[in-house]
Amino acid sequence: MPVSCKICGSTNLDLKHNRIRDGAKEVDCNVWKCIDCEIVFLDLEVDEHQLLDYYKDGHFRNSYLPDIKDAESKKAEKFYSLKQPLQESRLNLLRDLFKKDMEVLDIGCATAGFLNLLKDLVGRVKGIELYRPHVEYASGNLGLDVEMKNINEITEEKFDVICTFQVMEHVATPVDFLSQIYKKLKDNGLLIIEVPNIDDPLISLYDVIPYKDFYFMKPHLFYYSETSIASLLKKIGFNSVQFRSFQHYGLMNHLCWSLTGETSTATKVGGGGMDFPSKYSGSPALQEIMPFFEDTNRKYKTMLEDMRKTDTLLVVARKE
Ligand SMILES: [Zn+2]
């Protein structure tokens, strides 16, 4: 049987790539792009129960994030503090959407770093997460309402805002996932989604093959663009779909990838800046030149954002 699009069923497909990352290894796997709906997906059969167990057992948190080389980063407390700068910049991009009386749900909230920042700005925050050590940290240490559940297990409650950051690319059945969210939003409620963008400049501008071997990974089943996610959301019933997409990785990271075919170890964690390897850090001349690099980096990211070729999609959809 020919491969067909996992969203629209079309057999009109283009081969986008043929290798993916599986933990530390690279393995053969076709990555298809649907010519009709623009969705990109891995040619993998996924068992939903096995997938849930994979996240419950923490295999993803332990083998990809946030820093494979640092064993300490697997611990919830370290994970929380490593991710907090990212949570702060996320909130800065979204702050104006939240109001004092709102009830907010974060799906796949991990250690609930975003909710912990948000809790004083809204009426109520709730998180759901599959990985038990993160649930225990968020509910025990932070005292937040975070439960070990998936979206299907939220039955009674409705929310003004539902957020899901870097989760939907892991979901095997996005139409069902979004329909579940739609039902759990109040009228006029907002859905905020953050996912990697398939129009990432290292693919769409520079076409760096080793980057594609790294970017496409077994846990990321779907790859969205502004076009494909907007059409999917409209199909579910979200009539208003807007974007606040942004570029996270910086010029230094892009130069490393495009010139050497490798990521820079100096910029591997939070590689949005212009951090030089530490052997240069005492150089007075470099200190003098740094403002130039930092200004150039900011301009570079703004250019990519204006071109709508960013590494991160941030979507705000309204249930009208
Ligand atoms: Zn399709």
Side-chain angles (χ1 to χ4, degrees):
M1 217 170 74
V3 182
S4 58
C5 173
K6 294 190 180 191
I7 298 293
C8 76
S10 168
T11 50
N12 207 5
L13 307 175
D14 255 349
L15 188 63
K16 183 95 181 162
H17 199 55
N18 56 9
R19 290 176 70 70
I20 62 169
R21 184 156 56 111
D22 180 2
K25 319 187 288 284
E26 282 172 19
V27 296
D28 291 335
C29 176
N30 285 338
V31 182
W32 295 104
K33 179 182 180 180
C34 174
I35 294 166
D36 292 318
C37 75
E38 280 199 21
I39 200 84
V40 173
F41 60 95
L42 299 187
D43 192 358
L44 276 183
E45 284 310 315
V46 179
D47 177 292
E48 284 258 30
H49 291 285
Q50 277 177 11
L51 193 65
L52 279 177
D53 287 340
Y54 175 79
Y55 290 103
K56 283 182 181 166
D57 295 343
H59 293 304
F60 180 68
R61 300 260 185 245
N62 288 339
S63 47
Y64 293 86
L65 288 170
D67 182 355
I68 310 168
K69 288 188 188 137
D70 177 5
E72 285 288 299
S73 75
K74 293 175 184 172
K75 293 188 180 150
E77 199 166 13
K78 181 85 184 275
F79 182 94
Y80 177 89
S81 61
L82 274 174
K83 292 283 176 178
Q84 232 26 24
L86 179 73
Q87 303 295 8
E88 280 164 25
S89 58
R90 226 170 233 167
L91 181 58
N92 285 337
L93 287 172
L94 299 167
R95 191 180 295 273
D96 59 292
L97 299 171
F98 295 102
K99 304 208 165 51
K100 260 293 177 203
D101 58 343
M102 284 178 163
E103 298 184 274
V104 181
L105 173 70
D106 186 353
I107 302 172
C109 67
T111 48
F114 183 74
L115 295 179
N116 204 33
L117 294 173
L118 186 68
K119 66 179 192 282
D120 297 327
L121 304 177
V122 297
R124 178 166 88 98
V125 296
K126 182 184 181 76
I128 55 174
E129 164 61 41
L130 295 172
Y131 184 41
R132 186 183 295 280
H134 285 182
V135 174
E136 285 170 355
Y137 178 81
S139 58
N141 298 51
L142 302 179
L144 295 170
D145 175 10
V146 173
E147 293 184 298
M148 196 172 142
K149 280 185 176 172
N150 67 40
I151 184 69
N152 307 327
E153 295 169 295
I154 299 276
T155 48
E156 301 293 310
E157 300 159 279
K158 287 204 169 192
F159 298 88
D160 299 287
V161 183
I162 297 181
C163 312
T164 185
F165 302 110
Q166 305 286 337
V167 167
M168 217 174 96
E169 66 276 24
H170 300 262
V171 171
T173 50
V175 172
D176 181 54
F177 180 74
L178 292 173
S179 307
Q180 290 282 346
I181 290 174
Y182 190 83
K183 281 187 235 161
K184 280 140 204 167
L185 275 174
K186 298 180 192 171
D187 288 341
N188 219 29
L190 288 179
L191 165 60
I192 300 170
I193 301 171
E194 190 192 288
V195 279
N197 188 357
I198 189 67
D199 290 329
D200 185 313
L202 288 171
I203 297 173
S204 66
L205 284 179
Y206 306 118
D207 195 29
V208 179
I209 307 293
Y211 181 72
K212 291 198 262 189
D213 295 340
F214 170 87
Y215 174 89
F216 294 111
M217 63 170 88
K218 199 171 172 193
H220 288 182
L221 303 170
F222 288 91
Y223 299 82
Y224 299 93
S225 65
E226 290 194 353
T227 312
S228 65
I229 206 164
S231 75
L232 183 54
L233 285 161
K234 286 185 177 157
K235 215 190 294 189
I236 305 294
F238 290 97
N239 290 322
S240 153
V241 179
Q242 292 181 333
F243 292 95
R244 296 186 178 195
S245 300
F246 61 93
Q247 178 61 30
H248 173 64
Y249 283 95
L251 182 58
M252 176 85 90
N253 179 276
H254 282 186
L255 290 174
C256 283
W257 271 114
S258 40
L259 297 173
T260 72
E262 285 174 23
T263 186
S264 149
T265 46
T267 59
K268 196 149 187 174
V269 174
M274 293 297 286
D275 315 287
F276 278 77
S278 57
K279 64 178 176 178
Y280 302 114
S281 65
S283 155
L286 186 60
Q287 296 305 319
E288 224 168 290
I289 297 167
M290 272 325 281
F292 163 79
F293 282 127
E294 280 160 7
D295 184 49
T296 306
N297 193 37
R298 269 190 297 274
K299 285 181 180 152
Y300 177 66
K301 288 188 187 187
T302 304
M303 275 182 86
L304 294 174
E305 286 162 1
D306 291 344
M307 292 161 83
R308 307 187 89 83
K309 290 193 184 298
T310 60
D311 53 15
T312 311
L313 281 182
L314 184 57
V315 190
V316 180
R318 188 177 289 279
K319 176 177 181 175
E320 286 180 325

